[in-house]
Amino acid sequence: MLSLKSFFQKQTLNGTYQILAGGTRWSVESAKIHNCYAFTDGWPTLCERLKIFDEDLLIFNKIDNVSFQLSVYRDCIPVVLSDIVDSVDDDEVVEISHGQFVDELDKRLPVEVANRAGFKKKRHSLKVQNLEGNVVVYIAKTEKNGSANRYSVENWQKFMDDNNFIDGMMLDFTFLTSKNTIILKNVRSG
């Protein structure tokens, strides 16, 4: 439950509000509980899906009378919110940490991702989704690694730059086989 008293003065706050967070517009209900108004229906789901915890600091920027942009801080560090994919069978998802990418300009995909994606040609398109839900197609190209192939992602630095990521940040990805997409799910300071 989150108190809404500081957002409005002398206004009735019952109703539906829109929270913009993690690349998604969330509908939450508000209700008067004792002497305070609070987000109720929809708020627990938002917190669960975006991994917001009780000890997090939440900042709501009022967009209009029914919409807010949500920012979250944990231990004084901004948290990049992302709606985590959780409705997919485990055998369709491969977890990837930034540390699994070889530290070069064009980052290499983990072998398991290339295998699950069915990469066999010299060049493949690969969808990468950022935290806001925007999908960009990159090219994964074959490189010889002894007798085996490995795949690097062309212009990976562009993804880093476009999303304002800097060296030292830890990026956690999920590879969703059914969509052939790498989904950024979390960003942590290094």
Side-chain angles (χ1 to χ4, degrees):
M1 179 175 75
L2 179 68
S3 174
L4 301 176
K5 187 175 181 180
S6 61
F7 293 121
F8 299 94
Q9 295 181 1
K10 301 178 185 175
Q11 291 182 2
T12 301
L13 302 176
N14 286 340
T16 301
Y17 293 88
Q18 301 294 308
I19 306 294
L20 303 174
T24 302
R25 182 178 297 268
W26 301 86
S27 290
V28 296
E29 296 291 322
S30 65
K32 187 171 186 176
I33 300 174
H34 304 294
N35 293 332
C36 296
Y37 287 92
F39 289 138
T40 55
D41 295 342
W43 181 251
T45 301
L46 181 150
C47 291
E48 179 182 332
R49 297 277 300 270
L50 296 178
K51 306 296 185 206
I52 296 174
F53 302 107
D54 288 341
E55 59 274 4
D56 290 342
L57 171 67
L58 308 180
I59 297 178
F60 293 85
N61 292 316
K62 185 177 174 184
I63 297 169
D64 57 37
N65 283 338
V66 295
S67 302
F68 299 96
Q69 176 69 50
L70 174 62
S71 300
V72 177
Y73 291 82
R74 187 172 298 141
D75 298 324
C76 300
I77 298 170
V79 175
V80 181
L81 300 173
S82 176
D83 187 9
I84 305 300
V85 175
D86 62 356
S87 62
V88 182
D89 293 338
D90 288 342
D91 62 345
E92 289 186 0
V93 176
V94 178
E95 300 296 327
I96 310 165
S97 71
H98 182 66
Q100 288 180 280
F101 283 98
V102 177
D103 197 14
E104 295 176 2
L105 182 61
D106 289 334
K107 302 299 181 183
R108 291 192 185 99
L109 290 172
V111 172
E112 186 175 359
V113 171
N115 290 342
R116 291 236 181 163
F119 289 176
K120 292 183 177 39
K121 301 179 201 168
K122 290 188 179 200
R123 297 173 65 86
H124 291 272
S125 61
L126 178 69
K127 294 181 267 184
V128 180
Q129 179 178 313
N130 68 10
L131 289 171
E132 286 75 39
N134 301 321
V135 177
V136 176
V137 177
Y138 290 90
I139 300 298
K141 64 182 180 179
T142 303
E143 296 177 344
K144 282 292 185 188
N145 183 21
S147 61
N149 286 334
R150 62 184 179 190
Y151 291 87
S152 65
V153 179
E154 292 181 349
N155 297 321
W156 187 252
Q157 190 60 47
K158 180 173 175 13
F159 175 82
M160 298 291 287
D161 294 342
D162 288 351
N163 291 282
N164 298 314
F165 298 145
I166 58 173
D167 286 341
M169 287 182 158
M170 298 301 294
L171 310 178
D172 297 318
F173 294 88
T174 297
F175 178 72
L176 188 56
T177 306
S178 62
K179 292 187 177 185
N180 200 32
T181 303
I182 292 177
I183 301 169
L184 181 59
K185 66 176 192 173
N186 189 36
V187 177
R188 300 173 277 135
S189 59

